[in-house]
Amino acid sequence: KALSTAIYDRNGELLRLTLAKDEQYRLWLPLEKMDPRLVEAVQLYEDHFFYWHPGFNPLALLRSAFATYAQGNKQGGSTLTMQVARNLYRISSRKLGGKFKQILAAAWLELRYSKREILEAYLNLAPYGGNIEGAATASRIYFHKTPRQLTLPETLTLAVIPQNPNRRGLSRSGSEELLEARRRLFSRWLARHPDAARYAEELQTAPHFFSAADLPFRAPHFTDKLLAEARRNPDFKPGEWFSSLELHLQSSLERTLAQFLSHQSEQGIQNAAALLLDRQTGEVQALVGSADYFNEKIHGQVSGVTAKRSPGSTLKPFVYALGMDQGLLHPRTILKDAPTSFGPFSPENFDGRFAGPIAAEDALTRSRNIPAVSVAEKLSHPTFYEFLQKAEISRLAPQAHYGLTLVLGGGELTMEELARLYLMLANRGVALPVLELREENPLKKNPPRLLSEEAAFIALQMLEGNPRPDTGMPASPPVAWKTGTSWGFRDAWTAGIFGRYVLVVWVGNFDGTGNPAFVGIHSAAPLFFKIVDAVRGEGLDPGTPELPPPTDAVRLEVCATSGDLPNEWCPERVMTWFIPGKSPIKLSTLHRPVKIDTRTGKPTCEDGTHVKTEVFEFWPGDLLRLFREAGLPRREAPILPHCAGAISPGNLGKGPQILAPRRGLTYLFRLSKPTPLALRANAGEARQNLFWFVDEGFIGQSGDGQALAWTPLKAGRHQIQVLDAEGKGDSREVAVEFIP
């Protein structure tokens, strides 16, 4: 027979029970999962000799016939097997011919099936009044429990209902017939189980029944989505589904979202959606598709989780992560935020202003458009469009349709697709699937890697520096988050990662009408942090998983102003994350000492009592102009005099000399276990730290005469260079071959 579908949360709480195709509520529970007390009570009340008769009990049939026809007192004589036969084959057994047909069908069942199978069929097909069939279904509907959770009085109640379901089930919970039938069964039960006498008083009162109208209808957008996906699946099988949803988290999100919207109605903010994932498994922990499922004014039954919308700037973290993977930048790389045309595309920032030179991590957290587009323009293998294709973003138009606007939300994603991207970031670049049913280990599916472990980790660190909108300080415990606002103020987003979870929220209207209040930082971000605070405040966040940084992500000191390796005159230094051999780096020449004649205020080549040394920033002309346009004018460096003694990084003594590797040799490495090559140099007269580069990529630093280990990643000719803090250096080319 057709079955209902029961959807539970991850802890077994019923979210929704559907009707079977024949409009019945019917679940199937294997006999071994039934409460043994219920199995015993059913046999004790309905069929004492179930394990001994061939499907019918002649003595019971004779007794029933005598009582019914001779005494006028209708009495049943059907065995459990006969009742299964009547239910399965829809036999009308009120007349003698029907009863004979029922007996034959029961005998046929006994020949084909075991007693356990027949008993299981009875317990799952027995009528319980109205359109309710089966003990497991009746237990869920009448008592909101599984059969194993029932008390003894409730178990005995279920056992007696099928004998006369229309008079004992559903709304007849207080009927005298039900109470009398239960008392008869209890007296038999006491004969076997004397210790059950403690229930005698409770069995004198009528049980409290729920009805089908009281069935839970929780997380409606989530269960709608599950059922819709199941119906599209040719292997769809109704039954009991244990979902990934955590009902406590679901209630927290629903409550927080409702409270937030109640305070924002004056701004025309009436609808929102939220999706919460487990960052380690990709399982959906909570899903709120709209503010009110039953509100037609906001099209409440539409789900904001599955609708395609413009994501605004929420995609920018992935542009910067790709840039780090492709050796274009590290977090402190200086980018230009200035009016720029990219062919016919001339993007502007949301505030209409330009920040001038800006560090990449600041450009990301301040959501500057020009730097993000500039980085995206340089991406290749993959481009940003190709990256989204690999991430399985659906229904993308051809790449030429978007151009560089894709970086700023020119395409459309669903909330689930956006959450999946942030889930990938939380999992060090591995693209886990979003799961709605509980699974042991999603990594068994070998999900693809879209970013290197180092780039994903560093991008997450950059996002953790984004200050909360309410405090102006980074969140503690950390929260990595990013906002987005679509064109025309139609969608406000905030997506991020906190503790154990990935969270995405959306604020807007399903009909696409805009509202100046739909700005990510002003509407979506406050909702995002209200959810974060509520989840943490209710003790529902177990905390961030303890993971060490990737082995190839290192902390490096750079000059704060230039983002390059600091020379000795850099006044302010900061630490940043760096990927050796991949992140671009060079020795900073921004800060340089200049001799100034105090009498004239001009640079000089002479020494004396009237000469002092000052350090200037030697910015290129285009960046000086950007500073001025951004309202941050810098002190301009003087023009240096042309004289032999002029101070410059190139004439302060003999520079470093490479000692190893040697020139003119070919170095062989085993493919299975290559031994690192030692790089060593003499620091020269300055005796300063040395900075090593291979093929223009920085790989590390060493002291005077100290070795730095380098393992080549590919065969061929490589250019090795060493520099000291003054920019002096040495270089040589080495050949590398790999052997089995």
Side-chain angles (χ1 to χ4, degrees):
K1 286 192 174 185
L3 296 177
S4 299
T5 296
I7 303 175
Y8 304 95
D9 89 330
R10 65 185 304 107
N11 299 313
E13 289 287 332
L14 183 65
L15 302 176
R16 186 169 178 177
L17 180 65
T18 70
L19 288 166
K21 289 183 178 179
D22 58 0
E23 300 299 313
Q24 301 292 306
Y25 286 109
R26 186 187 298 114
L27 293 172
W28 192 277
L29 189 67
L31 185 63
E32 59 269 18
K33 293 186 178 180
M34 288 283 185
D35 187 340
R37 296 179 305 170
L38 178 61
V39 176
E40 182 182 354
V42 165
Q43 294 177 69
L44 192 62
Y45 189 73
E46 294 278 7
D47 194 345
H48 286 273
F49 303 102
F50 173 71
Y51 283 103
W52 291 275
H53 61 63
F56 58 92
N57 187 337
L59 292 177
L61 289 172
L62 289 173
R63 185 175 61 250
S64 171
F66 179 77
T68 301
Y69 297 110
Q71 298 179 334
N73 180 22
K74 188 175 181 180
Q75 185 178 12
S78 297
T79 64
L80 291 178
T81 310
M82 290 173 64
Q83 294 181 56
V84 171
R86 180 179 61 205
N87 196 319
L88 276 178
Y89 302 120
R90 300 184 181 279
I91 299 172
S92 176
S93 58
R94 293 185 178 183
K95 296 182 180 180
L96 194 60
K99 180 63 71 174
F100 183 69
K101 187 176 181 180
Q102 183 185 15
I103 292 171
L104 291 177
W108 174 242
L109 287 177
E110 290 278 350
L111 290 173
R112 296 176 64 196
Y113 299 100
S114 68
K115 288 289 187 179
R116 283 183 59 82
E117 289 174 316
I118 293 171
L119 183 58
E120 181 178 291
Y122 172 83
L123 289 167
N124 284 288
L125 298 175
Y128 276 88
N131 60 347
I132 302 172
E133 285 190 12
T137 315
S139 178
R140 281 288 183 186
I141 293 176
Y142 286 155
F143 300 113
H144 289 184
K145 298 177 181 178
T146 66
R148 286 186 177 273
Q149 294 172 327
L150 298 174
T151 64
L152 180 63
E154 291 168 341
T155 299
L156 300 183
T157 302
L158 280 190
V160 303
I161 290 177
Q163 194 176 81
N164 197 337
N166 292 328
R167 292 179 61 85
R168 299 177 185 175
L170 214 57
S171 60
R172 304 289 181 176
S173 59
S175 70
E176 184 57 36
E177 182 174 332
L178 172 64
L179 294 175
E180 179 57 34
R182 196 172 65 172
R183 281 193 287 268
R184 289 198 303 271
L185 174 57
F186 183 57
S187 64
R188 299 176 190 175
W189 187 270
L190 276 177
R192 291 190 179 185
H193 306 282
D195 60 325
R198 64 183 185 275
Y199 294 104
E201 184 177 347
E202 185 178 348
L203 283 159
Q204 300 304 313
T205 60
H208 173 70
F209 278 178
F210 293 99
S211 71
D214 301 315
L215 279 171
F217 191 68
R218 297 163 171 164
H221 291 99
F222 176 74
T223 54
D224 276 355
K225 186 173 185 292
L226 264 181
L227 292 168
E229 291 174 351
R231 293 185 186 111
R232 290 193 294 267
N233 187 342
D235 299 325
F236 164 61
K237 292 181 180 179
E240 292 191 301
W241 298 350
F242 288 87
S243 75
S244 61
L245 199 84
E246 168 59 68
L247 197 53
H248 293 301
L249 285 166
Q250 177 72 19
S251 300
S252 178
L253 259 68
E254 290 175 348
R255 183 169 55 251
T256 305
L257 192 145
Q259 292 172 352
F260 173 80
L261 291 177
S262 68
H263 292 98
Q264 300 295 321
S265 58
E266 293 182 359
Q267 299 185 51
I269 299 178
Q270 300 178 324
N271 205 357
L275 177 62
L276 188 73
L277 306 179
D278 185 303
R279 70 181 289 174
Q280 292 184 308
T281 65
E283 292 179 329
V284 176
Q285 300 284 277
L287 186 157
V288 184
S290 73
D292 185 351
Y293 186 84
F294 299 102
N295 188 339
E296 294 184 3
K297 292 182 179 179
I298 63 169
H299 311 284
Q301 293 188 21
V302 175
S303 176
V305 173
T306 56
K308 283 279 189 177
R309 315 291 297 190
S310 167
S313 294
T314 55
L315 296 180
K316 287 178 181 174
F318 308 100
V319 173
Y320 286 94
L322 285 169
M324 287 185 282
D325 253 348
Q326 297 182 20
L328 301 177
L329 56 91
H330 59 75
R332 295 298 304 183
T333 296
I334 300 300
L335 305 175
K336 295 180 182 179
D337 182 20
T340 309
S341 293
F342 302 88
F345 181 43
S346 299
E348 293 185 359
N349 290 309
F350 183 81
D351 58 7
R353 299 180 178 181
F354 300 95
I358 186 172
E361 61 185 3
D362 295 329
L364 174 59
T365 57
R366 292 170 58 184
S367 201
R368 312 309 292 173
N369 289 342
I370 314 299
V373 175
S374 299
V375 174
E377 184 189 35
K378 298 180 179 67
L379 295 176
S380 62
H381 310 300
T383 64
F384 188 56
Y385 179 86
E386 292 167 344
F387 167 78
L388 294 180
Q389 281 185 315
K390 290 182 178 180
E392 299 182 356
I393 305 303
S394 64
R395 306 205 309 265
L396 284 172
Q399 185 168 0
H401 173 79
Y402 303 111
L404 292 171
T405 65
L406 196 58
V407 180
L408 307 181
E412 291 186 334
L413 282 74
T414 66
M415 178 181 285
E416 181 178 317
E417 289 172 335
L418 184 60
R420 201 167 67 229
L421 287 174
Y422 278 80
L423 177 66
M424 178 269 297
L425 209 59
N427 281 277
R428 302 280 177 91
V430 175
L432 296 184
V434 171
L435 303 176
E436 288 146 352
L437 297 176
R438 293 186 62 180
E439 296 194 20
E440 290 183 7
N441 184 4
L443 293 176
K444 290 181 180 178
K445 296 186 175 183
N446 296 318
R449 174 172 291 281
L450 301 183
L451 293 170
S452 72
E453 189 176 1
E454 296 77 26
F457 169 78
I458 296 173
L460 206 58
Q461 299 300 307
M462 292 165 69
L463 289 176
E464 287 184 357
N466 200 0
R468 286 183 58 137
D470 50 353
T471 66
M473 298 291 292
S476 181
V479 178
W481 62 286
K482 183 72 186 72
T483 61
T485 305
S486 68
W487 307 103
F489 303 103
R490 293 182 177 89
D491 310 275
W493 296 89
T494 298
I497 301 151
F498 72 98
R500 183 69 178 268
Y501 305 113
V502 173
L503 172 64
V504 181
V505 302
W506 168 87
V507 174
N509 295 316
F510 288 147
D511 61 8
T513 55
N515 182 339
F518 296 163
V519 177
I521 191 65
H522 298 313
S523 56
L527 173 58
F528 177 93
F529 277 100
K530 284 186 180 297
I531 292 174
V532 171
D533 294 342
V535 169
R536 285 176 167 170
E538 294 170 30
L540 300 176
D541 178 18
T544 306
E546 291 293 334
L547 290 174
T551 54
D552 286 338
V554 299
R555 296 282 282 170
L556 182 73
E557 185 182 62
V558 296
C559 185
T561 314
S562 67
D564 292 325
L565 295 172
N567 60 16
E568 62 180 289
W569 301 289
C570 176
E572 183 181 357
R573 307 177 184 205
V574 294
M575 300 298 293
T576 190
W577 286 102
F578 188 83
I579 309 175
K582 185 178 288 187
S583 298
I585 199 73
K586 65 180 187 298
L587 188 66
S588 177
T589 57
L590 177 64
H591 299 91
R592 305 181 200 172
V594 178
K595 292 180 180 180
I596 300 295
D597 189 322
T598 57
R599 295 168 297 183
T600 63
K602 295 181 179 181
T604 181
C605 299
E606 305 296 331
D607 292 320
T609 57
H610 299 290
V611 176
K612 66 176 182 179
T613 300
E614 293 186 22
V615 176
F616 287 85
E617 295 179 359
F618 283 78
W619 289 100
D622 60 336
L623 292 182
L624 282 174
R625 177 176 53 81
L626 290 184
F627 277 123
R628 288 194 298 269
E629 292 173 351
L632 301 168
R634 313 293 285 192
R635 179 190 180 193
E636 292 193 28
I639 299 175
L640 297 179
H642 296 282
C643 53
I647 297 175
S648 68
N651 65 355
L652 290 179
K654 187 177 179 181
Q657 299 293 318
I658 294 178
L659 303 176
R662 296 172 61 184
R663 297 183 188 273
L665 296 182
T666 297
Y667 290 85
L668 303 180
F669 295 84
R670 291 187 181 277
L671 280 172
S672 59
K673 191 175 181 182
T675 303
L677 183 64
L679 309 183
R680 186 180 292 107
N682 188 327
E685 296 176 0
R687 304 297 184 200
Q688 298 171 337
N689 280 347
L690 303 176
F691 304 89
W692 290 89
F693 301 78
V694 174
D695 299 330
E696 298 184 355
F698 177 72
I699 60 168
Q701 65 185 53
S702 69
D704 181 20
Q706 295 178 342
L708 175 69
W710 169 60
T711 303
L713 300 178
K714 60 182 181 180
R717 307 192 76 82
H718 297 276
Q719 188 71 27
I720 297 177
Q721 184 181 25
V722 64
L723 294 175
D724 63 16
E726 298 166 359
K728 294 175 294 185
D730 189 16
S731 66
R732 65 184 50 176
E733 189 178 79
V734 297
V736 168
E737 291 183 8
F738 286 92
I739 60 174

